[in-house]
Amino acid sequence: MVLPDYLTIPVTNENGRGVYLVGETGMTLREAQWPASPLAGWLNDDRIPGNAREVLEADARLAGITGLIRVLAEQEGANKFRAVWVLARVPGELVSVVVRDARDASHTQLQDDARFSISQARRYWARNAIVLVQSQSEAQSLSGLHRFVSAFDQPGAERDRLYRKERDDDIGLSYAWLSPDRMEG
């Protein structure tokens, strides 16, 4: 038996029903007809997108990272999400990862994402919390990088490079801004 790497938790309302656009029941449009999501590589693939994995695995602590559970968050329409939370594993431990669509990567939102990733790491006894910002175009990547630098107090930050901030507790915080060419996997 072969199972996918991920268990995916869809977004539902308080009654446990799927959330759709007004007038869209989930039955009228085939999934292939839904608008493409900016985070499609994170939503549809059975593995962490290859180039994002390459950025993560540049840190020896994250070698062999695989996703276990992903939760789609902040829905803005059918098959469009602004963020994804992933519980991943590396040999011997768990990792909490938030992936944010760069369009929503404000200074405040990135700090909130870092706090959320850390709180989930604490909840699941993970030793690493990660925030990844996925840009969709070169212009978006260049314009958003200054917010990333500001949010993480990382002067001179470069795209596609994983940074780590040591903290007082036992959970390390890492973060990276992924350029568009890093989306395909």
Side-chain angles (χ1 to χ4, degrees):
M1 177 184 310
V2 177
L3 296 175
D5 286 346
Y6 280 113
L7 168 65
T8 301
I9 310 299
V11 173
T12 58
N13 63 17
E14 60 276 356
N15 298 325
R17 294 192 175 144
V19 180
Y20 303 102
L21 291 174
V22 174
E24 173 56 50
T25 63
M27 304 295 279
T28 58
L29 290 176
R30 292 188 177 149
E31 192 170 334
Q33 296 173 313
W34 289 359
S37 170
L39 299 175
W42 291 91
L43 301 176
N44 300 325
D45 294 341
D46 285 340
R47 299 166 44 135
I48 292 173
N51 289 321
R53 182 175 329 156
E54 182 181 309
V55 170
L56 292 171
E57 288 184 339
D59 182 334
R61 292 175 282 232
L62 301 174
I65 191 166
T66 58
L68 298 173
I69 298 171
R70 66 178 157 204
V71 179
L72 313 176
E74 299 180 30
Q75 184 169 13
E76 64 178 336
N79 203 31
K80 285 194 175 181
F81 297 86
R82 292 185 282 240
V84 177
W85 175 75
V86 176
L87 180 64
R89 71 175 178 83
V90 294
E93 62 186 69
L94 297 173
V95 180
S96 171
V97 182
V98 171
V99 184
R100 165 72 47 193
D101 180 349
R103 294 176 301 169
D104 297 309
S106 69
H107 175 94
T108 303
Q109 185 60 62
L110 291 173
Q111 289 181 334
D112 288 348
D113 289 344
R115 282 190 290 275
F116 180 76
S117 189
I118 291 166
S119 73
Q120 292 302 91
R122 228 179 252 118
R123 179 180 184 184
Y124 290 99
W125 295 90
R127 297 194 50 192
N128 292 292
I130 300 171
V131 176
L132 299 175
V133 181
Q134 180 66 72
S135 59
Q136 306 302 309
S137 69
E138 280 302 319
Q140 184 183 67
S141 186
L142 292 173
S143 69
L145 196 55
H146 74 278
R147 292 188 306 267
F148 177 81
V149 166
S150 171
F152 293 110
D153 192 27
Q154 186 67 53
E158 300 172 14
R159 293 174 292 181
D160 303 320
R161 181 170 175 203
L162 191 66
Y163 295 92
R164 186 167 176 90
K165 182 176 278 193
E166 294 303 327
R167 299 168 22 87
D168 292 335
D169 60 10
D170 60 347
I171 299 171
L173 175 64
S174 298
Y175 42 91
W177 184 281
L178 301 174
S179 63
D181 59 334
R182 296 287 184 174
M183 289 174 41
E184 301 300 323

